[in-house]
Amino acid sequence: ADKYTLTDILAGDYIPEKTFGEKVKALRTSSGFSQEAFAERLGVSVRYIQQIEGTTDSYNPSIKTLT
């Protein structure tokens, strides 16, 4: 799989027409993280990652959390 940077994903440069959650999932999986490892890395719960990945763009996590 291709590897994407957070900037690439959020800008949609490599994954056009996907929801924010789909972009986050693409970033996570292209980086080799499980939801559990990704959540731990970000300092959030697994449920939070599941909510982001499983919803539409109407879910707006804090940019501070994602950086």
Side-chain angles (χ1 to χ4, degrees):
D2 293 328
K3 297 221 179 227
Y4 304 107
T5 66
L6 179 58
T7 302
D8 297 334
I9 299 294
L10 295 177
D13 291 340
Y14 295 97
I15 308 174
E17 300 182 29
K18 291 205 174 196
T19 66
F20 180 78
E22 289 170 326
K23 291 175 185 181
V24 170
K25 184 175 182 177
L27 171 65
R28 176 181 63 75
T29 59
S30 73
S31 298
F33 285 103
S34 66
Q35 285 183 331
E36 292 80 7
F38 197 59
E40 184 176 330
R41 179 84 180 250
L42 292 175
V44 298
S45 69
V46 174
R47 182 69 187 130
Y48 189 70
I49 298 300
Q50 292 168 337
Q51 287 174 325
I52 292 170
E53 292 183 1
T55 60
T56 65
D57 281 334
S58 63
Y59 190 77
N60 296 309
S62 164
I63 291 297
K64 183 178 179 182
T65 300
L66 300 175
T67 57

